[in-house]
Amino acid sequence: MTELNAVAQATIAQAVETPAAAAASSASYETVGQPFLDSGAKMSMRDVDVFYGDKQAIFNVGLDIGQNEVLAMIGPSGCGKSTFLRCLNRMNDTIDICRVTGQLQLEGQNIYDPKLDVVPLRARVGMVFQKPNPFPKSIYDNVAYGPRIHGLVSRRAELDEVVETSLRKASLWEEVKDRLHAPGTGLSGGQQQRLCIARTIAVSPEVILMDEPCSALDPIATAKIEELIAELSENFTIAIVTHSMQQAARVSHRTAYFHLGKLIEVNDTEKVFTNPDHELTEAYITGRFG
Amino acid sequence: MSTSSLFVTLAVLIAVAYVLGRGRSMALADHSQRGFRNLNSLPFYYGMLTALWCGIPSLLLVALWLMLDGNAIDQLLIAQLPGEVAALSHAELGLVLNNIKNLALGNMVGANPEPYMVEAASTLTALQRSSQMAMTVAAISVAMVLSIIAWLRINPQQKARLQVETAFKVILLACASLAILTTIGIVFSVIFESLQFFKTVPVSDFLFGLQWSPQMAIRADQVGSSGAFGVIPLFVGTLLISLIAMIVAVPAGLMSAIYLSEYASSRVRSMVKPALEVLAGIPTVVYGFFAALTVAPFVRDSGVWAFEFLGLPMQISSESALAAGLVMGIMIIPFVSSLSDDVITAVPQSMRDGSLGLGATKSETIKQVVIPAALPGIVGGILLAVSRAIGETMIVVMAAGLAANLTANPLDTVTTVTVQIVTLLVGDQEFDSPKTLSAFALGLVLFVVTLALNYVALHVVRKYREQYE
C-alpha cells in the first residue's frame, strides 16, 4: 500500500518537475477533437480531477467511452493515463491519499456515489494489469475465482463451462486444456497475461480496462493479445492504456492523448495518427518527445 | 606487567603501527600529480596491514599463553613436591594444589600449613611472576618485530588491499565459525553425558516409559528410591502446554498480523506494531510472575466456581497447565504476528489488485489470495513459535508445577522437559548418578525435537517461498 503511494508520489513529482509543466499547467484548457459522444456512451466522465495528497494528477478531464468501443489512451510517462484508467473502476480507492472529484458515470449511474457498492462495479468494469498477476493457484482456479466469489454458478458443470468459455475467448484453451490443474504461475508471460484476461472475462464484465497489458510481453505474445482485443470488442467495451503508438493505431477506434494530467486531444484513431488537431499530440506521435 | 595493561600496551602499539604504516606509504607515494597514483592501494590499507601484523600474532600468542600457562605451572609445581605427595591420587593432588594456591594468595588454609606447602607456595608465586613477565616480553617483542618487518616491506607495488581483505575474510570466517563450533561443542557434551546415562537406563525405558520419578538412592541403606526415567509424561506435559499456548497464540497472532498489514492505517500500525514487539522483549521470568500470581489463581477460582455451579466433584490444583499455556501463548503472540505480518506485507500488491479488480471484497481477497500466497511463511513462523514454546521453562516452573502427571487434563498440574532439566541440575548433585545424567538425555531429546521442527520450518519456507513470482 505505502509502496504504491510512494510510486504515485514519485510519478507526480516527475510530472511537476518537467520544464514543460510550467507552460502546460495554466489554469484552464480545452480538449480538442471529439471527447464526447452524441449517443451510445457506455461510460461518461466530466470535470474529473484527481489528487494524490496535495498534488493534482488529473486536471478537469472530460471523456466518453462508447459501447463496444476500443479507446486507447496514450501519452508520455507520468501523464496520468493509468491514474485516470484506475478511476474508472475505483481501483484508486486502494491508495489512501488519492482523492477523485467530478462526475464519472457508468450507464448514467454515478460510480463515485458514496452509497454505491464498489464490488458489483468492479464486476461490471474489470481490469487487466501491466504485469501479469495470476494468483498462486491452478489455471482452473484462477479463472474460476471470479465466478465463485460472485456466485455466478451453482454447479460444478456450469463452472467447468464458464472456465472453458473464458479460456477459449482468451485463446488460451488449446494451450492449457490438458493441464488445467497446473499452477497458473508456471505459464509463460504471454500465457499468464491471457490467463488474466480469461479471469477477467469469466466475471462477464461490460467494460474491460487494460493498463499497458503488453508492456511485459514479447512481440509474438503482444500480437496474440492485440488480436484478442479485436475479438473482445465485439462483446465488451475496452479502454486500453499503452506506450506503443503502433499498438494504439492497430487496436483502437478512438485515441485519447494525455499530457501532464490533461486530456489534450481525443479523435478517431486514424485522424490522431495522420492529422492530429493539437500540436502537442503531433509532437508526441512524431517522436519529438515522450 | 599485568594482563590488562599488556592489552592496553598492545592496543597503543597497534595504533602506532597503523599511523606509521600509513605514513610510510604516503611518503613513498608519488605526489607529482594529485592523489597517490603510483600506490597499489590507498594508504589506509598499508596502515591496516601493518596494524594487523602488529596485533593479530601477538594477541594470538597472549591468548594461547593464558590458556596453557595454568597447566604448565601446575606440572612444574607437582614436579617440585615431595615424592609421597606427588604420588597421591588425581583428586587428592588437586586438593593439595588448591591449598597451595590459596596459601600463595594469602588466604587461610587451616591451622598450620605443612612446610612443603609454604615452600611450594613461594615457588608458585615466583613461577607465576616469571610467566607473566615472559608473556609480556614475548607479546610485545612479537608485535614490534612483526610490525617493523611489515613496515619495512611497504612499497608502492605491494598489494596491500588484497592482503587486508583476505585477512578480514579470515577474521569474519572465524567469527562465523564461533557459533557453529559452539553448537557442535554443546551437541557433543550432551551426547557424551547421555551415553553415560544410557549405560544405566536402557534407551527404550527412557523413551517409552510412562513413569517419571528421578529419585536415586544416594546411600545404600536408603529406602524405595530406585528411580524411574520414563520420558513420556514429560513430553505429554510439554505438548499439552505448547498446544494450549498455540491455541492462544496462532489465532491472536495471525489475526493481529492481518489487521496490521491489511486494515490498520499507517498511524495505528506505527503504534501497535512496536507495542506488540515489546511483548517479545519482556523477560520470561516476568511472564512467570504474571502466570503464577494472577492467571493461575484466576484459573483455579473460576474452575472451582464452575465445578460448584455444575455440581461436579472435581479437584482443581492451583498450578495448572492451562495457566502456564495461556501466559505462554500471550508471550509468543509477537513471534507469530511479527513474522506473519512480514510475509503478508511481502505478498505483491499486484495480487491484491488482481483480486480487487475482479470485484472481490477485501476479506475475500485476504482469505483466498493473500493468505494462501503467504501461507508458507506463516507456517514457518508458527513452527518457530512452537520451538520457542517447547523450549520455554520459566513460566512452566512458576505456573504449572513440578509433578510429572501423565494427563491430558489442562486443569491438572503437569511438568515439562525443560523444567525437569532445571530441577535435576539445580543444587548440590552428584555428577555420576543417573538422576543428573538423565538431564542430559532429556536435553538431547529436546534438542533433536526442536532441531527437527526448525528444519521443517526452514524447509517449508524455502520450498514455497517464491511461489507467487
Side-chain angles (χ1 to χ4, degrees), chain B residues 218-237:
Chain B
I218 295 175
R219 297 184 309 277
D221 54 349
Q222 233 170 348
V223 202
S225 297
S226 58
F229 296 93
V231 84
I232 297 281
L234 303 188
F235 268 90
V236 169

Side-chain angles (χ1 to χ4, degrees), chain B residues 134-318:
Chain B
M135 179 174 78
T136 310
V137 171
I140 290 180
S141 43
V142 163
M144 288 178 72
V145 168
L146 287 179
S147 46
I148 287 169
I149 294 175
W151 185 78
L152 288 174
R153 282 179 55 198
I154 289 175
N155 66 67
Q157 281 77 46
Q158 193 184 20
K159 293 181 166 41
R161 181 171 51 82
L162 290 180
Q163 292 171 15
V164 169
E165 281 172 359
T166 311
F168 270 100
K169 222 185 284 171
V170 172
I171 293 173
L172 294 179
L173 179 69
C175 292
S177 25
L178 201 64
I180 296 170
L181 290 177
T182 313
T183 313
I184 294 174
I186 290 174
V187 170
F188 273 100
S189 73
V190 169
I191 286 179
F192 285 131
E193 301 290 338
S194 304
L195 289 179
Q196 288 276 319
F197 172 71
F198 289 130
K199 275 180 201 154
T200 47
V201 177
V203 181
S204 57
D205 283 9
F206 177 70
L207 288 180
F208 306 112
L210 298 180
Q211 182 84 34
W212 176 263
S213 76
Q215 303 310 321
M216 293 299 284
I218 295 175
R219 297 184 309 277
D221 54 349
Q222 233 170 348
V223 202
S225 297
S226 58
F229 296 93
V231 84
I232 297 281
L234 303 188
F235 268 90
V236 169
T238 306
L239 290 180
L240 180 64
I241 291 183
S242 303
L243 184 73
I244 296 170
M246 297 322 283
I247 288 174
V248 174
V250 170
L254 199 53
M255 288 187 196
S256 64
I258 291 171
Y259 172 72
L260 285 178
S261 56
E262 298 288 332
Y263 289 100
S265 67
S266 52
R267 242 185 80 235
V268 173
R269 186 181 152 92
S270 68
M271 289 190 301
V272 174
K273 202 166 185 213
L276 255 177
E277 276 158 8
V278 165
L279 273 183
I282 297 176
T284 57
V285 69
V286 176
Y287 281 107
F289 294 148
F290 178 59
L293 299 180
T294 313
V295 179
F298 174 75
V299 167
R300 184 200 53 209
D301 292 347
S302 42
V304 166
W305 182 83
F307 287 140
E308 260 172 25
F309 185 77
L310 295 171
L312 292 173
M314 290 237 340
Q315 286 290 317
I316 181 161
S317 55
S318 60

Side-chain angles (χ1 to χ4, degrees), chain B residues 352-427:
Chain B
R352 298 184 182 89
D353 282 351
S355 175
L356 293 173
L358 289 171
T361 64
K362 196 158 189 167
S363 75
E364 283 164 347
T365 303
I366 292 168
K367 278 184 295 196
Q368 300 190 33
V369 175
V370 177
I371 298 290
L375 196 60
I378 293 173
V379 171
I382 291 174
L383 287 180
L384 287 179
V386 172
S387 318
R388 178 75 204 236
I390 290 178
E392 175 51 39
T393 314
M394 223 51 212
I395 295 173
V396 188
V397 172
M398 295 169 96
L402 296 172
N405 289 325
L406 181 54
T407 174
N409 176 5
L411 298 175
D412 218 338
T413 160
V414 296
T415 192
T416 65
V417 178
T418 50
V419 168
Q420 285 306 311
I421 293 177
V422 170
T423 52
L424 289 169
L425 292 181
V426 165

